[in-house]
Amino acid sequence: GAVVSQHPSRVICKSGTSVKIECRSLDFQATTMFWYRQFPKKSLMLMATSNEGSKATYEQGVEKDKFLINHASLTLSTLTVTSAHPEDSSFYICSARKTPSGAGETQYFGPGTRLLVL
Amino acid sequence: QKEVEQNSGPLSVPEGAIASLNCTYSDRGSQSFFWYRQYSGKSPELIMSIYSNGDKEDGRFTAQLNKASQYVSLLIRDSQPSDSATYLCAVKFEDTGRRALTFGSGTRLQVQP
């Protein structure tokens, strides 16, 4: 397997503030990381694909100026929720793409960050 | 549009039985398939990956892939209450150049003690 960490695991903030979430691949290098959002009892929704050293690719309907993504190294991607509002409250999960030798590639998920905006 | 379809469930099985979870996908050219397990309030955890037609076994789990029929399934033998979770099927669609996996909406499994 592979280990992906996220920090913080839980955050409560006031409306209008910005929140930064970190995603790290601990035992492998990840040129690509993904950010998902999941609302209660709903499936994962891909927000953006984070590429090391280049701009992130955002899914349709996701505001790139509101959800800032930086992938500055092969082991770290950050998601900043700017000017957070209560409707941004959700479970944010990152995953890192590991490309082993041979067939296939796999995404490993971080433990998630639960964001509550008051 | 590339799609991954799963029955939302809940699928309820008694302890010790075989649970069978199914998934269909829309892109015939897909090559990589994954099953993830997600407990309530937690992030998904990889259970199995499968790339070739046929069966792949890992402990109590068996993944089955049939590319001609465009379905992939997961069998859980000797189901335990701790297997109760939502199981997500994920497919990598090859022809779009898209790196992200496409997830189904998940099937909720309930194993009754």
Side-chain angles (χ1 to χ4, degrees):
Chain A
V3 182
V4 178
S5 71
Q6 267 184 256
H7 178 80
S9 58
R10 185 183 300 266
V11 59
I12 301 173
C13 68
K14 293 182 179 179
S15 184
T17 60
S18 294
V19 175
K20 180 186 282 189
I21 303 170
E22 292 186 349
C23 177
R24 293 181 186 273
S25 55
L26 297 184
D27 54 356
F28 66 99
Q29 293 183 331
T31 55
T32 306
M33 293 183 174
F34 306 92
W35 287 96
Y36 294 85
R37 180 167 53 183
Q38 187 175 38
F39 292 105
K41 299 191 186 301
K42 300 294 184 184
S43 188
L44 295 168
M45 187 192 83
L46 179 67
M47 299 176 66
T49 300
S50 170
N51 303 298
E52 189 267 336
S54 64
K55 291 183 179 179
T57 304
Y58 290 82
E59 295 299 299
Q60 194 171 10
V62 178
E63 299 175 58
K64 62 180 181 181
D65 294 331
K66 180 170 182 63
F67 298 100
L68 301 178
I69 291 173
N70 184 278
H71 193 155
S73 78
L74 288 172
T75 58
L76 173 64
S77 176
T78 61
L79 168 69
T80 301
V81 183
T82 62
S83 187
H85 290 283
E87 58 265 31
D88 297 323
S89 300
S90 188
F91 190 39
Y92 291 85
I93 314 173
C94 74
S95 72
R97 174 173 166 260
K98 182 177 182 181
T99 309
S101 57
E105 58 181 66
T106 305
Q107 283 185 39
Y108 292 91
F109 283 87
T113 296
R114 199 162 297 281
L115 171 63
L116 176 61
V117 185
L118 303 177
Chain B
Q1 180 156 346
K2 308 299 183 182
E3 294 184 343
V4 179
E5 300 284 344
Q6 292 182 257
N7 187 318
S8 61
L11 171 66
S12 185
V13 300
E15 184 175 354
I18 296 176
S20 177
L21 304 161
N22 299 309
C23 170
T24 60
Y25 58 95
S26 62
D27 178 27
R28 188 173 291 275
S30 299
Q31 299 294 325
S32 306
F33 307 87
F34 306 86
W35 282 100
Y36 288 84
R37 177 176 60 196
Q38 186 175 24
Y39 292 110
S40 180
K42 302 295 184 182
S43 68
E45 170 193 12
L46 179 68
I47 299 176
M48 296 275 288
S49 60
I50 186 167
Y51 307 101
S52 305
N53 275 328
D55 295 0
K56 179 182 178 183
E57 186 175 318
D58 183 0
R60 294 187 296 114
F61 299 99
T62 299
Q64 298 176 319
L65 175 60
N66 184 323
K67 291 186 180 180
S69 301
Q70 294 174 233
Y71 83 77
V72 57
S73 62
L74 180 70
L75 301 179
I76 307 175
R77 288 182 299 281
D78 189 23
S79 295
Q80 301 297 308
S82 58
D83 294 326
S84 298
T86 296
Y87 289 80
L88 302 170
C89 171
V91 179
K92 185 173 185 293
F93 293 119
E94 300 293 337
D95 64 345
T96 63
R98 180 183 170 89
R99 292 178 173 176
L101 299 178
T102 299
F103 285 84
S105 57
T107 298
R108 191 156 62 93
L109 173 66
Q110 294 178 340
V111 180
Q112 307 294 339

